[in-house]
Amino acid sequence: MPTAETVQRFIARVEENAHTEAIAEFYTDGATMQENQSPPRRGRDTLVAHESKVMARAKSLTSECVRPVFINGDHVAIRWIFNFVWADGSTTRMEEMAWQRWEGERIAEETFFYDPAQRTPVPAKA
């Protein structure tokens, strides 16, 4: 079960846009991430590599935790809002719920729930 302080440190890293670092620091070696009902990605190294590819496509990103955060034993629920500006100037605003299962002070499983229509970038204004 994570402490509230550990969860807040994790949130702070994500809000600093240190997404890949947060995965390296707060996920178990065998952690999984799943988006909606897609097959999960497995293994911390795989998760870091995937996140690195996403971050490389972004010109800028703001990450915001919408509080409160819910902690119940080994489970944590966090509402996030991410605003991406992509290299071509298009934008994406993603609002999602993250459902996490922690093992001690590390995340072992995470599922993101969001409307997939949000993934379509809005073209840059001419």
Side-chain angles (χ1 to χ4, degrees), residues 65-99:
C65 171
V66 180
R67 288 163 173 83
V69 172
F70 297 97
I71 303 171
N72 186 0
D74 291 336
H75 291 91
V76 175
I78 304 172
R79 181 177 165 205
W80 293 107
I81 297 175
F82 301 108
N83 288 292
F84 293 88
V85 177
W86 303 107
D88 66 0
S90 64
T91 59
T92 300
R93 181 183 189 276
M94 293 282 300
E95 184 170 345
E96 66 184 27
M97 285 295 300
W99 177 251

